[in-house]
Amino acid sequence: MQAPYDTEVTADVFAEAKNTFNCLIGYLTDAAAGTLTHDRLEETIVEQGRELQRLLLQAHLDLRALRELQQVHRARHDETAAGVIGADGVPRRRVEIGHHRLLATLVGTVTVTRCAWRAPGIRNVYPADAALSLPAVRHSAGLAKLAVIETARGSFDAAHAAITARCGNMIGKRQIEQVVAQAAVDVDAFYSARTPVPCTASTVLALSVDGKGIAMRPEALRPATAKAAARARATFRTRLAAGEKPARKRMATLGVVYDAEPAPRRPHDVIAVPGGRAGRRRPRPRPRAMRKWLCGSVITGPGAVITKVFDHAEARDPAHVRPWVVLVDGARHQLDLIITEAARRGIRVHIVIDFVHVLELSPGAQPVSSMSSTSADGDPLSSSMPGYQRVFFDERERGGGLPACRSAS
């Protein structure tokens, strides 16, 4: 049987929150609290403070529910209620009170009470859900945002541990995976809605492409990797190095495009001199990346991602009047694809190679000359543009890394 619609707000919905707050003050003013160490005090305030925040949120939701109930009662009493029209265009003129749903938030789990507008044979409509912008799932938008942030920093396990330490056991590992996948579905739509901002001809247009191996399930491996995994099952090996997963990874390609104003620097602004910097001379500021655009794919190959990166870069500089800088880690296949794509479009690019990665790819390589140039004012490396740089390698092992000589531009 439904509860009567005539309900007055007689109770203070914030009474429990006020009582918890007063109890916390009483605990802290008690003489026994004067003997606690600072870490015990900190733990108590954090724990009780989280519960106080949950009670405040719950009280506000309860207050909204009471106000909605009063609004429905007044409309019924005045016979002015025309019902609620859902997204399907069908009006709902029957109202039922007391519908509940749980919402897991950053401060704990709360209960949302609201009125349901109904019609025979169709789904209920909850105006309060739309007013609160409640998600279809149990976890709040704030909790989902925290899950995405923590997952981007590391693994799903690390994200779950960080969220549990901050919020308690509010979300499981599988739910974190689902939340992250849900948050990523509109990445392309987000970037497509952004209009490139016009820049001056001196503003650097920076592009970067890199690969990242991702451990995959056996059925998701590429054919060549799957064959190698099948052969490796019967092979005994010693203990693997940290992060090593032979024949279990699929290479994802990531790309970024951004703008950067030239920031001239000298070698000692980048690398600390032996013995430290003396005097009051401060290092010159480094260039800042602005208006970043990101893309990536683990399904398509690096060629498709590099083409997409060049497409977006050309949208920013269709006349090719700005200096183009491509940052890579020295992978030969990426360099070949970038050079081919730039030549096809008639674009002169300045290629900057991560020197540490090059040494890792070609252990036998010895740098003969690296980043040496003099500007008109006599300062080495006074230009932030790396197009003038040439790096030469004495490649003793022909099987790895770069060719014997590769111009950076």
Side-chain angles (χ1 to χ4, degrees):
M1 182 177 179
Q2 295 186 11
Y5 293 114
D6 188 7
T7 303
E8 298 293 338
V9 183
T10 57
D12 184 5
V13 293
F14 289 93
E16 189 174 358
K18 293 177 181 177
N19 183 51
T20 301
F21 180 68
N22 292 331
C23 289
L24 180 59
I25 293 178
Y27 174 80
L28 295 176
T29 56
D30 189 73
T35 62
L36 298 178
T37 58
H38 82 281
D39 56 324
R40 290 292 303 276
L41 285 171
E42 188 177 27
E43 291 176 1
T44 301
I45 292 176
V46 169
E47 182 179 353
Q48 294 298 323
R50 182 189 302 158
E51 175 62 15
L52 176 60
Q53 293 174 23
R54 190 195 69 83
L55 291 174
L56 288 171
L57 178 58
Q58 181 65 70
H60 177 76
L61 295 175
D62 293 342
L63 180 62
R64 282 197 177 200
L66 290 175
R67 289 173 176 173
E68 183 188 27
L69 193 60
Q70 286 181 335
Q71 185 178 4
V72 170
H73 171 69
R74 286 195 299 267
R76 287 295 187 186
H77 180 74
D78 298 338
E79 297 182 355
T80 58
V84 173
I85 300 177
D88 53 5
V90 179
R92 277 87 166 165
R93 293 184 173 85
R94 295 169 51 191
V95 62
E96 187 173 288
I97 66 173
H99 283 228
H100 306 276
R101 62 162 293 180
L102 298 178
L103 182 66
T105 70
L106 295 173
V107 295
T109 302
V110 294
T111 303
V112 182
T113 306
R114 66 265 204 257
C115 297
W117 291 84
R118 311 183 67 183
I122 55 177
R123 299 180 60 180
N124 297 346
V125 170
Y126 299 93
D129 288 9
L132 288 167
S133 189
L134 294 181
V137 295
R138 177 173 176 173
H139 309 101
S140 69
L143 191 60
K145 180 180 179 180
L146 179 62
V148 172
I149 293 174
E150 294 296 340
T151 303
R153 294 175 179 172
S155 63
F156 288 114
D157 289 325
H160 181 260
I163 295 173
T164 302
R166 174 177 171 178
C167 308
N169 192 16
M170 290 289 101
I171 186 172
K173 177 183 175 181
R174 178 168 295 183
Q175 284 71 37
I176 293 177
E177 296 175 1
Q178 295 171 351
V179 164
V180 172
Q182 181 94 21
V185 296
D186 59 348
V187 170
D188 292 336
F190 170 78
Y191 281 119
S192 62
R194 304 180 70 181
T195 304
V197 179
C199 299
T200 62
S202 62
T203 303
V204 178
L205 181 58
L207 298 75
S208 184
V209 179
D210 197 5
K212 172 62 178 177
I214 302 176
M216 307 292 290
R217 294 180 59 87
E219 62 271 15
L221 295 173
R222 289 192 169 94
T225 311
K227 291 181 180 179
R231 291 193 302 267
R233 288 194 185 99
T235 304
F236 177 78
R237 289 192 57 188
T238 58
R239 185 175 181 178
L240 301 177
E244 187 180 4
K245 297 179 177 65
R248 288 182 53 193
K249 290 185 176 182
R250 184 166 181 164
M251 189 62 66
T253 306
L254 308 174
V256 61
V257 179
Y258 60 88
D259 302 323
E261 294 298 333
R265 294 196 293 171
R266 298 181 179 183
H268 52 266
D269 296 322
V270 181
I271 303 175
V273 297
R277 295 184 174 92
R280 299 181 178 179
R281 184 173 181 178
R282 295 182 179 181
R284 298 179 181 181
R286 61 183 177 87
R288 300 287 180 178
M290 302 178 296
R291 297 176 289 274
K292 290 189 290 185
W293 173 89
L294 304 169
C295 69
S297 177
V298 71
I299 300 175
T300 60
V305 175
I306 290 174
T307 300
K308 192 174 182 180
V309 167
F310 271 82
D311 287 342
H312 181 79
E314 266 199 312
R316 297 194 181 196
D317 183 26
H320 307 162
V321 297
R322 296 169 56 185
W324 288 47
V325 178
V326 181
L327 311 176
V328 292
D329 61 4
R332 179 60 181 269
H333 70 286
Q334 290 181 3
L335 281 171
D336 292 339
L337 290 171
I338 289 170
I339 293 173
T340 301
E341 189 67 26
R344 184 177 69 86
R345 298 170 184 258
I347 305 172
R348 184 176 183 268
V349 298
H350 307 282
I351 298 179
V352 179
I353 301 174
D354 188 338
F355 188 69
V356 176
H357 276 82
V358 171
L359 291 182
E360 292 177 353
L361 293 173
S362 191
Q366 299 293 330
V368 177
S369 166
S370 174
M371 302 183 188
S372 59
S373 179
T374 303
S375 66
D377 58 2
D379 285 344
L381 292 183
S382 62
S383 172
S384 67
M385 292 308 304
Y388 60 86
Q389 301 172 3
R390 287 180 178 271
V391 182
F392 299 94
F393 295 93
D394 175 22
E395 189 178 17
R396 297 179 178 178
E397 296 182 9
R398 298 298 299 173
L402 296 171
C405 175
R406 171 75 73 179
S407 172
S409 62

